[in-house]
Amino acid sequence: MASNQETRPGIGAVAKDLGTGKIGLVMGEVGGKVQLRPLSGGLEWDAERDQVVPTKAREELSARLASVNERSRWGR
């Protein structure tokens, strides 16, 4: 069985914060917290390390599509 460290998403990976249900890019890890940034850009948020998990392919695709749609609405 894989350890938690092996299954934890690394920097640059798309991950889900189970505490909020939000999906974002892993930007870093400091003091037991993981910093995630929305796929569409914006401010990072902190998530508890044990609440950050890799996304399923369907979740990532849905989040990326939502990000593209959001950017197109705002002309970015």
Side-chain angles (χ1 to χ4, degrees), residues 9-10 12-16 23-26 36 39 53-55 59-60 63-64:
V14 178
K16 183 173 185 175
I23 293 175
L25 286 175
V26 177
L36 295 159
L39 296 179
V53 297
T55 56
E59 290 175 317
E60 182 175 344
R64 288 189 183 277

Side-chain angles (χ1 to χ4, degrees), residues 57-76:
R58 184 178 180 145
E59 290 175 317
E60 182 175 344
L61 180 60
S62 179
R64 288 189 183 277
L65 181 59
S67 173
V68 168
N69 286 339
E70 181 180 339
R71 283 190 297 237
S72 71
R73 280 192 296 273
W74 294 102
R76 294 190 255 164

Side-chain angles (χ1 to χ4, degrees), residues 2-51:
S3 74
N4 211 15
Q5 180 136 8
E6 293 171 359
T7 60
R8 189 176 314 133
I11 293 174
V14 178
K16 183 173 185 175
D17 176 359
L18 296 176
T20 63
K22 296 191 296 187
I23 293 175
L25 286 175
V26 177
M27 303 305 289
E29 188 174 332
V30 176
K33 303 272 187 181
V34 176
Q35 290 76 41
L36 295 159
R37 177 170 294 188
L39 296 179
S40 58
L43 296 176
E44 296 176 6
W45 76 93
D46 289 338
E48 297 294 330
R49 181 184 299 158
D50 63 346
Q51 294 291 304

